């Protein structure tokens, strides 16, 4: 992930001119109906806002969290209920867990069919009891976070029914712990932040130029001094699962592999000619000579196979991110790749077919281990005769083929969805926040993230209507180009300034809500 201006990449530029767009886009109204009665009967705000609220009459008794409140949970929701109780106690509202029959003033968690095809949907019926119903544990988690936000503001709620579901199926946060190591408790705190905002993915970028952050038994030589043990990963994953968060691990290959290749110099891909930029890229961000593995060497595939077989089973989630970004922008400097491609794939092959072949091979491997593979988009900008497997989920960050990410030149979002790829909008501007280096001066402010919407890609294009079901959503991406620029505790504030905006964008959109109003809502739910 380059962080200097010699060779522009997804992490070293921001589209500053995009600020001018902040006031030019229109928004779609959210279908939220609020009770219009006295202050005690107003429905408290949430972040993100709920999709639909139907009041059932202000003349009927409201829900009141009494002096001895209880949470009643079915067998599948016990851990979720424990988290809710802990959070309410921290909010100054002691509550107990119990089993058996519910009574007025109780909070009830109930797994059941709510007749909604979206697995994360939930319903909250507010009467003399507050009953949260969903047909999945994640839906129950989301319902408890809404209830928690309400009850942090008031102990009395108007009668009615909240029916809620996300607009997008993927809503997340990525942490670049490959460059800057983050302690386990810090990672868990960010997971808790994401869960409070009803997000469902946290991507861990676990390897890059500055470090390989997993303790390898098969290849201990690649493990950095600061790393996560297998028990650390189990703790992080278990904590995330208890809040409905799926951990997406990423070991970036076949570029950004400096930490892995430091002890495997025989596998480094070396150009026929070097440039002055190579040394700078090596030392700064790992994008030059030393960070790329030689895919023409059979031993390279063996090393990668060892790593994937060791670590994919450690993560029980749905996905595995293979990377596949920023391998080669100028193939003329690597004539051996062109020769290998024509020998291996035929006379019509191009050097770029090598990374497509790698991605398909690695995807087959992780699929055999029960995971859905994910990739960055830019590795597939130089195809010849091969095509990427349609099962690859594409995180689309850059439209430029080896150039500025928001300019044309590479494959468009529609090029991928036309071939059946699910896609996530990782638009370089404004979803990225970089901690240091030249890119830090170009970080998009939260106001621009508010003016954006998840259907607008970095090149200004949108998917055709027929392909929009393939758009999964987006994330807020933290990149640590300069790992010494900000300590972990200094990164929290800029992340927390942006995370609720992304959550609102992906759950219900920003229509009908002004940004100052939104900041007031965030403050009301205890977000600061």
């Amino acid at each position: 992930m380059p962080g200097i201006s010699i060779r522009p990449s997804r992490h070293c530029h921001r589209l500053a001119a995009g600020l001018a767009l902040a006031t030019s886009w229109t928004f779609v109204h959210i279908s939220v109906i609020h009770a219009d009665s006295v202050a005690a009967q107003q429905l408290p705000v949430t972040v993100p806002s709920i999709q639909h609220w139907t009041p059932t009459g202000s003349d009927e008794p409201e829900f009141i969290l009494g002096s001895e409140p209880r949470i009643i949970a079915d067998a599948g929701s016990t851990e979720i209920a424990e988290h809710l109780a802990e959070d309410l106690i921290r909010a100054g509202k002691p509550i107990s867990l119990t089993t058996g029959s519910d009574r007025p003033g109780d909070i009830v968690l109930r797994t059941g069919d709510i007749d909604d095809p979206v697995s994360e949907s939930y319903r909250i019926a507010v009467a003399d009891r507050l009953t949260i119903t969903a047909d999945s544990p994640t839906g129950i988690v989301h319902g408890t976070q809404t209830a928690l936000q309400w009850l942090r503001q008031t102990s009395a709620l108007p009668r009615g029914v909240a029916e809620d579901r996300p607009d997008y199926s993927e809503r997340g946060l990525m942490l670049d712990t490959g460059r800057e190591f983050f302690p386990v408790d810090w990672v868990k705190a960010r997971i808790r932040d994401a869960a409070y905002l009803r997000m469902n993915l946290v991507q861990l970028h676990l390897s890059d130029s500055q470090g390989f952050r997993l303790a390898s038994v098969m290849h201990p030589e690649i493990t950095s001094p600061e790393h996560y043990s297998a028990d650390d990963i189990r703790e992080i994953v278990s904590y995330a699962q208890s809040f409905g968060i799926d951990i997406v691990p990423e070991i970036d290959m076949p570029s950004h592999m400096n930490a892995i290749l430091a002890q495997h110099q025989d596998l480094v891909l070396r150009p026929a000619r070097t440039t002055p930029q190579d040394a700078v890229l090596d030392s700064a961000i790992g994008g030059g000579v030393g960070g790329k593995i030689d895919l023409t060497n059979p031993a390279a595939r063996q090393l990668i196979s060892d790593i994937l077989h060791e670590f994919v089973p450690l993560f029980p989630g749905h996905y595995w991110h293979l990377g596949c970004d920023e391998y080669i922008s100028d193939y003329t400097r690597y004539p051996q790749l062109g020769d290998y491609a024509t020998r291996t794939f035929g006379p019509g092959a191009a050097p770029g077919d090598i990374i497509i072949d790698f991605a398909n091979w690695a995807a087959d491997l992780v699929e055999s281990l029960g995971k859905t593979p994910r990739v960055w988009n830019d590795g597939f900008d130089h195809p010849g005769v091969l095509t990427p497997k349609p099962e690859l989920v594409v995180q689309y960050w850059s439209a430029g083929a080896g150039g500025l990410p928001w300019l044309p030149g590479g494959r468009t979002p529609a090029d991928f969805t036309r071939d059946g790829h699910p896609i996530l909008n990782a638009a370089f501007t404004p979803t990225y926040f970089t901690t240091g280096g030249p890119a830090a001066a170009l970080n998009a402010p939260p106001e621009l993230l508010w003016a954006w919407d998840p259907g607008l890609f970095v090149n200004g294009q949108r998917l055709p209507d027929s392909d929009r079901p393939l758009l999964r959503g987006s994330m807020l991406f933290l990149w640590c180009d300069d790992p010494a620029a900000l300590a972990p505790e200094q990164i929290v504030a800029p992340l927390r300034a942006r995370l609720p905006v992304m959550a609102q964008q992906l759950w219900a959109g920003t229509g009908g809500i002004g940004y100052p109003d939104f900041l007031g809502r965030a403050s009301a739910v205890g977000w600061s």
Side-chain angles (χ1 to χ4, degrees):
M1 181 192 70
I4 60 175
S5 59
I6 291 174
R7 185 172 73 84
S9 77
R10 68 176 187 265
H11 314 293
C12 65
H13 291 278
R14 292 294 184 275
L15 185 54
L19 288 168
L21 299 176
T23 59
S24 65
W25 292 334
T26 58
F27 305 110
V28 180
H29 180 66
I30 308 172
S31 58
V32 178
I33 304 175
H34 294 282
D36 54 352
S37 183
V38 296
Q41 294 167 332
Q42 291 288 339
L43 183 70
V45 297
T46 63
V47 176
S49 56
I50 61 173
Q51 295 278 15
H52 195 77
W53 167 254
T54 304
T56 56
S58 58
D59 57 334
E60 299 181 39
E62 60 191 359
F63 171 81
I64 297 177
L65 191 69
S67 58
E68 296 182 355
R70 308 182 307 167
I71 301 175
I72 314 292
D74 57 25
S77 304
T78 302
E79 188 174 26
I80 301 170
E82 291 172 352
H83 283 314
L84 179 59
E86 292 166 358
D87 288 328
L88 285 171
I89 290 169
R90 277 193 289 267
K93 300 189 176 182
I95 197 165
S96 62
L97 300 180
T98 189
T99 58
S101 301
D102 51 84
R103 67 190 185 194
D106 285 346
I107 299 173
V108 182
L109 309 186
R110 182 174 296 156
T111 303
D113 186 9
I114 60 171
D115 193 27
D116 193 310
V118 178
S119 63
E120 296 181 78
S121 300
Y122 66 93
R123 177 188 299 120
I124 304 180
V126 185
D128 58 350
R129 299 155 175 82
L130 191 153
T131 304
I132 301 170
T133 306
D135 60 10
S136 72
T138 303
I140 296 289
V141 169
H142 294 331
T144 63
Q145 300 313 292
T146 294
L148 174 62
Q149 291 189 11
W150 284 345
L151 294 171
R152 289 186 68 163
Q153 299 169 70
T154 178
S155 295
L157 297 171
R159 292 177 71 101
V161 177
E163 296 174 290
D164 204 14
R165 60 185 291 181
D167 285 347
Y168 291 95
S169 62
E170 292 188 359
R171 309 169 311 281
L173 169 66
M174 194 217 75
L175 303 174
D176 179 9
T177 194
R179 289 183 178 81
E180 181 168 357
F181 182 76
F182 298 120
V184 170
D185 285 345
W186 191 93
V187 174
K188 290 169 66 176
R190 306 290 73 75
I191 290 170
R192 184 66 190 94
D193 284 347
Y196 191 60
L197 300 170
R198 306 201 293 276
M199 288 181 154
N200 62 359
L201 295 180
V202 170
Q203 181 173 329
L204 298 180
H205 185 79
L206 291 162
S207 69
D208 213 297
S209 50
Q210 281 86 352
F212 184 86
R213 304 303 182 184
L214 297 171
S216 177
V217 174
M218 293 185 69
H219 290 280
E221 75 280 358
I222 71 175
T223 299
S224 298
E226 289 186 303
H227 63 267
Y228 303 110
S229 68
D231 286 342
D232 290 336
I233 293 299
R234 293 186 189 100
E235 180 180 349
I236 290 170
V237 168
S238 176
Y239 185 77
Q241 287 178 323
S242 71
F243 281 104
I245 297 285
D246 198 352
I247 296 294
V248 180
E250 179 189 359
I251 295 179
D252 205 351
M253 303 170 172
S255 191
H256 299 282
M257 293 183 65
N258 302 60
I260 295 173
L261 294 175
Q263 301 302 318
H264 291 274
Q265 289 294 301
D266 57 313
L267 299 182
V268 172
L269 176 67
R270 303 191 184 279
R273 67 179 193 280
T274 59
T275 69
Q277 291 94 329
D278 288 325
V280 180
L281 288 168
D282 265 344
S283 61
I285 45 75
V289 177
K292 308 175 193 300
I293 199 167
D294 185 357
L295 292 175
T296 71
N297 188 332
R301 296 254 178 137
Q302 184 59 58
L303 175 62
I304 290 170
S305 177
D306 289 348
I307 292 170
L308 293 177
H309 277 100
E310 179 174 8
F311 291 112
V312 172
L314 183 60
F315 295 86
H318 296 91
Y319 302 107
W320 184 273
H321 203 300
L322 294 165
C324 294
D325 62 307
E326 298 181 324
Y327 187 55
I328 303 295
S329 60
D330 181 4
Y331 279 98
T332 65
R333 296 179 58 216
Y334 300 88
Q336 68 269 41
L337 297 180
D339 294 341
Y340 176 86
T342 54
R343 289 197 314 270
T344 307
F345 311 121
D353 284 321
I354 291 177
I355 195 165
I356 296 176
D357 177 64
F358 165 77
N360 289 342
W361 168 79
D364 286 342
L365 194 160
V366 301
E367 286 176 326
S368 74
L369 296 171
K371 301 293 186 285
T372 298
R374 304 173 76 100
V375 291
W376 302 107
N377 70 286
D378 63 295
F380 310 109
D381 284 339
H382 306 278
V385 297
L386 303 183
T387 57
K389 287 167 60 77
E391 293 82 4
L392 288 165
V393 179
V394 175
Q395 293 191 187
Y396 194 98
W397 69 272
S398 172
L404 300 177
W406 47 82
L407 296 181
R411 296 187 69 186
T412 68
D415 289 335
F416 287 101
T417 56
R418 189 181 303 114
D419 291 338
H421 293 279
I423 194 167
L424 182 130
N425 190 348
F428 186 92
T429 302
T431 70
Y432 282 19
F433 177 81
T434 307
T435 59
L442 298 172
N443 284 329
E447 292 87 346
L448 180 55
L449 188 61
W450 184 260
W452 172 79
D453 75 80
L456 184 63
F457 286 85
V458 68
N459 61 352
Q461 295 182 356
R462 297 179 183 274
L463 294 176
D465 290 346
S466 60
D467 291 353
R468 286 182 185 174
L470 290 169
L471 177 55
R472 295 280 188 87
S474 187
M475 293 183 182
L476 180 66
F477 295 88
L478 168 67
W479 294 106
C480 302
D481 284 14
D482 179 359
L486 296 175
E489 60 270 18
Q490 294 174 303
I491 295 172
V492 174
L495 283 186
R496 286 176 62 87
R498 291 161 173 81
L499 199 61
V501 177
M502 180 62 82
Q504 180 67 47
Q505 287 277 17
L506 294 166
W507 188 276
T510 61
I513 308 173
Y515 185 63
D517 178 22
F518 178 76
L519 294 179
R521 295 182 184 209
S523 178
V525 303
W527 193 270
S528 59

